Amino acid sequence: MYEHILIATDGSELAARGVEHGLALAAPLKARVTVLTVAPPLQREAALAAIAGGVDDPVIRYDQQIESKMKTLFASIEQRAADHGVTVDLLHDIDEHPAEAIIRTAGLKGCDLIVMTSHGRRGAKRLLLGSQTAEVLAHTSIPVLVVR
């Protein structure tokens, strides 16, 4: 049915449920799995504040912090994947628009399913907070499995 699953995660507890669900689905299907995380680029204001606070190169510091966080997250995901007997390709992207990065990566990698989570917010909360899941659903032709 599905041959290559993209699992999008932000490292949150909710997203971990999506990772688990995606891995559990991939195992019996013997599907390839790509796990993607997306972080926002360092904002100019944050970089200027860091420089004012004595940080020599805030971009390098930001990249180091992201890399450290990804090592920890990816180690956990690799362990969960091994528990399911699934091999994963772990990717990280820096993009101001995570939904666009998810759709772009799924297309470039030839994924035939995207697995991601949603808080299920409605009304004003959804409008105020936005939803990367809703953006992906609205702009991709690839099937999306939403885990809550």
Side-chain angles (χ1 to χ4, degrees), residues 36-40 66 91-95 100-102 104-105:
L36 174 68
T37 62
V38 182
I66 295 288
L91 300 176
H92 178 69
D93 198 356
I94 303 284
D95 197 304
E100 291 176 13
I102 292 165
R104 179 178 59 247
T105 301

Side-chain angles (χ1 to χ4, degrees), residues 2 20 26-27 37 41-43 49 62 75 81 88 101 108 112 123 136 138 147-148:
Y2 297 112
E20 184 65 27
T37 62
L42 179 63
Q43 298 297 312
Y62 182 72
V88 293
L108 289 172
D112 51 9
V136 170
V147 178
R148 285 191 176 172

Side-chain angles (χ1 to χ4, degrees), residues 21-96:
H21 197 91
L23 294 172
L25 177 63
L29 297 175
K30 298 185 182 353
R32 293 185 330 230
V33 175
T34 297
V35 176
L36 174 68
T37 62
V38 182
L42 179 63
Q43 298 297 312
R44 185 179 192 290
E45 296 78 19
L48 292 173
I51 290 168
V55 175
D56 290 331
D57 193 335
V59 174
I60 289 175
R61 175 70 66 83
Y62 182 72
D63 288 347
Q64 290 170 338
Q65 290 173 338
I66 295 288
E67 184 178 339
S68 175
K69 181 179 177 184
M70 290 306 105
K71 280 183 182 178
T72 302
L73 175 61
F74 285 167
S76 171
I77 292 171
E78 283 181 314
Q79 181 59 55
R80 295 301 309 137
D83 292 347
H84 285 280
V86 174
T87 303
V88 293
D89 182 20
L90 302 166
L91 300 176
H92 178 69
D93 198 356
I94 303 284
D95 197 304
E96 207 169 323

